[in-house]
Amino acid sequence: MARVVVDVMPKQEILDPQGQAVAGALPRLGFQGVTSIRQGKHFELEVDDSVDDATLGRIAETLLANPVIEDWAIRREQS
């Protein structure tokens, strides 16, 4: 078994209203110095060792992310 992490983020050219809302709230809550926030999604998958990176890429592309507006990164973590 392997643990795989898939991080999905809006593409840089896509507006991120949730990230902007968080960035706008921080100064009101007394937090200073944060100039930008992008909000994304984080998935953790437990997979058999037989699942290759190409299969993980297809999972990310077809189910976890919207490839029109989102980028994703896949990494395997040490177990």
Side-chain angles (χ1 to χ4, degrees):
M1 296 292 275
R3 172 172 278 201
V4 174
V5 175
V6 180
D7 290 314
V8 178
M9 295 296 295
K11 292 183 176 183
Q12 285 300 318
E13 64 271 21
I14 300 296
L15 290 177
D16 178 12
Q18 292 175 317
Q20 291 174 343
V22 173
L26 288 174
R28 291 192 304 273
L29 297 172
F31 298 101
Q32 304 298 321
V34 178
T35 58
S36 176
I37 295 178
R38 305 279 295 170
Q39 182 173 321
K41 297 178 277 189
H42 176 92
F43 298 91
E44 296 179 357
L45 295 76
E46 299 288 334
V47 300
D48 291 339
D49 292 332
S50 62
V51 178
D52 62 14
D53 289 347
T55 300
L56 294 169
R58 288 195 309 274
I59 291 170
E61 183 177 86
T62 58
L63 182 63
L64 305 180
N66 178 345
V68 175
I69 61 170
E70 296 173 317
D71 292 322
W72 64 90
I74 298 169
R75 67 179 184 279
R76 290 179 185 263
E77 294 192 335
Q78 298 287 336
S79 53

